[in-house]
Amino acid sequence: MTATTVLEGRLHPITPWRRAWAVTCAIVGFVFRDLPEWFHAAQGWPRWILVLIAVSVSLAGAGYGYTSWRATSYRLTTDALHYRCGLLFQQRRRFELAHLQAADIRRPLLGRLIGVCTLRLSSSGQSSDLAYLGTEQAETLLAALRGRMAADLRTPAAVRGAPSAATVGGQVLLKVAPRDLAVSLLLDAHTILCAAVLVVVGIAPYVVSKEPLALVSVAGVLGPVWRLTGSCWPRWHGWTLTAEPGGFRADFGLFNTQHQTFRHRRTQAVILEQPVLWRRRDWVRIRLAVAGYRQAQLIAPVSTREDAERLIARLYGTDAITALRSVRPVPRRARWVTPFSHALSYFSDASHVSACRGMFLRNVVHLSLADKVQQVVRVQGPWQRRLGLASVELHLAGGPPLTARHRDAAEAAEITVAMRASRFTSPAAPTT
């Protein structure tokens, strides 16, 4: 069956010049390096030769830009997005809509000034950019892509009685106030540790030596510290989470605005993080384990626990809240393995699994659907064998594994058998 073309077009005319910036800079650097010699040699040339050279270079550059722009195009069909580019070395890419995880618009500050943006496509843990598109052009293509992506609206939450993704869209689910974001960053132990490193490495040498040149070390530390801490506020400023057909959409950014989409059926688990200084306000950071990604994706930099539970109920149904709040601590002898044993917990039922860890710097709760587990691994170190303990790792299609740490060895064996029986044993397979 031949696919029908839904939308087609070309990238913004500025795109070829964006790709040729390195060549342009090299040519300009070569010319200006020997500019006095070029100027001295050109004084003896006829003026018409100089004009001819300038016109030829301008026409060559304009011709390259035009032909490169003409050779770059995209075409959206009912089943895929086709993209081609290149003059001498042609490239043709095909993005299957069935495997497309997200389609998002990114607007850098300079791009917003000239009215262009980048369309980022994510598939199987890898991202590709279509740059640049006009703002209206990108929004039209994004709307068409999301319309095609939303065709499959069966989500785990919908099956369990959560609000249907097909009927709920455009509703603002969570909005992070700039003040709350700033306070949360200041109360994060990671920020405090980075600030301590800046003081020790950057300022302490000046205090000891009294030499002004010792402050130069601050410049070497300030960049990484700002990137890890201070830059988070403009990057996450105005964070808004909105319901979309088939998933969520996160809009954020003060200077470089970004739009990120999370599809329901690609979600593998929810991870709630709570730094120690957030506990008094009962704030959490929400991350999603998404199929194809090793690292969990941020869905909310800071949120109240009530908002987090509403998002979880929307994803996995109201029964997931019971699994989230249920606590089954580890045996008391586990304190000989880790000093934070009383913070460890694991819970599982017919539909959900959850695990809790951490106490001093950050408390982490990992929640997933039981049918999302793809691999079960039982781990038992020498010290655990001596104490009769074992850990069980439940691997998902994306994100870190959900781990039941330091359980009783018999309980760990039961967890392993139960998860493997429910997920991997075929009813027709013979038992041994």
Side-chain angles (χ1 to χ4, degrees):
M1 180 177 173
T2 304
T4 305
T5 300
V6 178
L7 188 66
E8 59 183 346
R10 304 185 186 277
L11 301 187
H12 196 275
I14 200 176
T15 302
W17 306 110
R18 166 255 185 186
R19 293 174 179 166
W21 68 270
V23 178
T24 304
C25 291
I27 295 175
V28 171
F30 175 76
V31 171
F32 275 87
R33 183 188 64 177
D34 300 325
L35 185 60
E37 289 78 3
W38 285 102
F39 184 75
H40 180 73
Q43 286 182 343
W45 295 355
R47 186 167 300 177
W48 67 270
I49 294 181
L50 299 178
V51 174
L52 180 62
I53 292 175
V55 172
S56 300
V57 171
S58 301
L59 290 177
Y64 165 79
Y66 178 75
T67 54
S68 178
W69 173 72
R70 290 284 301 177
T72 305
S73 64
Y74 64 88
R75 182 169 62 92
L76 177 63
T77 63
T78 53
D79 58 353
L81 175 65
H82 304 264
Y83 172 69
R84 68 179 182 91
C85 64
L87 288 176
L88 298 179
F89 303 95
Q90 294 187 352
Q91 297 183 19
R92 295 179 182 272
R93 300 180 184 177
R94 176 186 172 94
F95 301 92
E96 296 286 346
L97 299 185
H99 300 156
L100 199 62
Q101 297 176 8
D104 312 301
I105 291 179
R106 301 198 170 192
R107 295 185 174 93
L109 180 59
L110 182 59
R112 286 157 58 187
L113 295 178
I114 61 178
V116 297
C117 58
T118 299
L119 180 65
R120 170 158 292 187
L121 305 174
S122 301
S123 177
S124 301
Q126 298 181 351
S127 299
S128 300
D129 293 339
L130 268 66
Y132 289 105
L133 295 169
T135 303
E136 183 177 352
Q137 181 186 18
E139 291 177 350
T140 303
L141 179 58
L142 181 63
L145 278 173
R146 287 178 174 170
R148 304 301 308 174
M149 291 166 57
D152 183 9
L153 296 176
R154 289 197 61 192
T155 66
V159 175
R160 289 163 177 81
S164 173
T167 58
V168 181
Q171 176 187 0
V172 176
L173 304 176
L174 186 147
K175 188 174 180 63
V176 179
R179 179 179 179 276
D180 292 344
L181 179 59
V183 172
S184 67
L185 292 174
L186 292 175
L187 294 180
D188 195 339
H190 187 265
T191 304
I192 298 174
L193 290 176
C194 289
V197 169
L198 177 62
V199 172
V200 172
V201 178
I203 301 178
Y206 170 75
V207 175
V208 174
S209 64
K210 302 298 182 181
E211 291 289 339
L213 290 177
L215 291 175
V216 176
S217 59
V218 176
V221 182
L222 190 59
V225 170
W226 169 258
R227 186 173 65 255
L228 295 173
T229 58
S231 64
C232 294
W233 191 85
R235 186 166 70 247
W236 296 339
H237 182 273
W239 192 288
T240 304
L241 192 66
T242 309
E244 286 289 323
F248 303 128
R249 188 188 79 244
D251 305 304
F252 55 94
L254 180 61
F255 302 113
N256 299 332
T257 60
Q258 300 183 34
H259 311 274
Q260 192 170 1
T261 305
F262 304 93
R263 301 183 71 178
H264 280 303
R265 67 184 183 90
R266 304 293 299 180
T267 301
Q268 302 297 306
V270 179
I271 302 174
L272 302 183
E273 302 174 352
Q274 188 176 57
V276 61
L277 297 180
W278 288 15
R279 296 176 189 174
R280 183 177 178 182
R281 299 172 180 262
D282 202 20
W283 284 348
V284 294
R285 180 172 293 143
I286 311 174
R287 298 184 185 273
L288 289 181
V290 181
Y293 290 88
R294 284 188 174 183
Q295 302 293 331
Q297 304 297 302
L298 184 67
I299 192 174
V302 61
S303 165
T304 62
R305 190 172 294 273
E306 294 180 357
D307 290 338
E309 290 182 352
R310 279 198 293 267
L311 289 177
I312 292 174
R314 184 183 185 86
L315 271 173
Y316 299 146
T318 54
D319 292 342
I321 306 302
T322 303
L324 183 70
R325 297 174 179 174
S326 300
V327 176
R328 289 181 183 174
V330 298
R332 289 181 57 84
R333 60 184 182 277
R335 68 182 183 273
W336 297 106
V337 182
T338 172
F340 309 125
S341 59
H342 60 280
L344 300 178
S345 174
Y346 173 81
F347 175 83
S348 63
D349 56 20
S351 302
H352 305 88
V353 291
S354 67
C356 181
R357 62 177 173 84
M359 184 189 70
F360 179 60
L361 292 179
R362 181 167 295 180
N363 186 54
V364 179
V365 181
H366 202 158
L367 173 70
S368 178
L369 292 174
D371 56 11
K372 293 286 187 178
V373 177
Q374 294 194 346
Q375 185 180 14
V376 183
V377 180
R378 183 173 178 267
V379 180
Q380 190 176 41
W383 195 244
Q384 287 180 314
R385 287 197 296 269
R386 185 176 181 86
L387 296 173
L389 302 173
S391 300
V392 181
E393 296 180 354
L394 307 178
H395 292 262
L396 309 171
L402 191 154
T403 306
R405 291 174 169 82
H406 309 309
R407 311 303 299 182
D408 184 82
E411 181 188 1
E414 292 177 359
I415 295 173
T416 304
V417 171
M419 294 303 300
R420 286 177 176 171
S422 62
R423 291 295 302 153
F424 308 113
T425 302
S426 172
T431 59
T432 59

